[in-house]
Structures are given as structure tokens and as C-alpha cells.
Amino acid sequence: MNVFGMGLPEMVLIMVIALLVFGPKKLPEIGRSLGKAIRGFQDASKEFENQFKLEAQQIEQGLNTPTPSESEKITTKEVATAEVATAESNNHATTSSQQS
């Protein structure tokens, strides 16, 4: 068993020293709070990782969508101009017929 580069004898020595320093009543409480802190860190780490993956997917989708070429942009401008001209023509024709 190798945890954080320490073997079983080192872990037992640390536990004995902790037992002597904190006493048998405090040791479970300290272990519980340490476990909660580690769990909170793991949860925050997973949430950060999931958010990072989501942002990366959104960026990747944005890069994969084709952008309109110059000819498509010009065509769109021409259509918009034609629609405005048609609307103005219809408006002018309506105004002329109302004045008559």
C-alpha cells in the first residue's frame, strides 16, 4: 500500500503521533472533517472539469459551423436592398393612390 509516497509503516507512525497529540476523542472528529474537506475539493474539481469540457465543446461547435463567404454576404446585402426598395415602392404607390 503506497499512499502519497508513504508506505504502511510511515502511515502507522503518523497515526500514533496524531493519537498522542489529539487524543482518542478528537481523532474521529478530525478525520471526519478532513474527509468532508477532501470530498468538497473533489466535487469542485469535477464541476470545474465539466464546465471546462462544456465550454470547449461550445467553442469547437462554433469553429465547425461554416461562416458565410463573401459572395453570400453580398447576396444577402443585395436581397436586403431589394426588399427595402420594394417596400419603398409599395409605400409610394399606396401614398399616390390615396392622394388621387
Side-chain angles (χ1 to χ4, degrees):
M1 183 171 136
N2 192 0
V3 178
F4 299 118
M6 296 185 295
L8 187 59
E10 290 89 0
M11 296 291 281
V12 170
L13 180 64
I14 291 172
M15 291 300 290
V16 168
I17 292 172
L19 183 61
L20 291 173
V21 171
F22 295 111
K25 292 183 180 179
K26 277 284 197 188
L27 204 56
E29 187 178 315
I30 292 170
R32 199 174 304 119
S33 63
L34 183 63
K36 286 180 182 179
I38 290 172
R39 171 63 69 182
F41 179 75
Q42 287 176 342
D43 290 344
S45 175
K46 286 180 184 177
E47 184 178 338
F48 176 76
E49 183 180 350
N50 290 338
Q51 187 67 27
F52 184 78
K53 286 181 181 179
L54 180 65
E55 293 290 332
Q57 286 176 349
Q58 289 176 348
I59 290 172
E60 187 175 308
Q61 287 175 355
L63 292 176
N64 290 340
T65 56
T67 57
S69 64
E70 289 299 318
S71 61
E72 289 174 346
K73 288 179 184 177
I74 293 171
T75 305
T76 305
K77 288 179 183 178
E78 290 172 353
V79 168
T81 305
E83 288 175 353
V84 169
T86 304
E88 287 178 357
S89 174
N90 289 342
N91 190 18
H92 181 66
T94 306
T95 307
S96 296
S97 65
Q98 287 178 354
Q99 289 178 354
S100 301

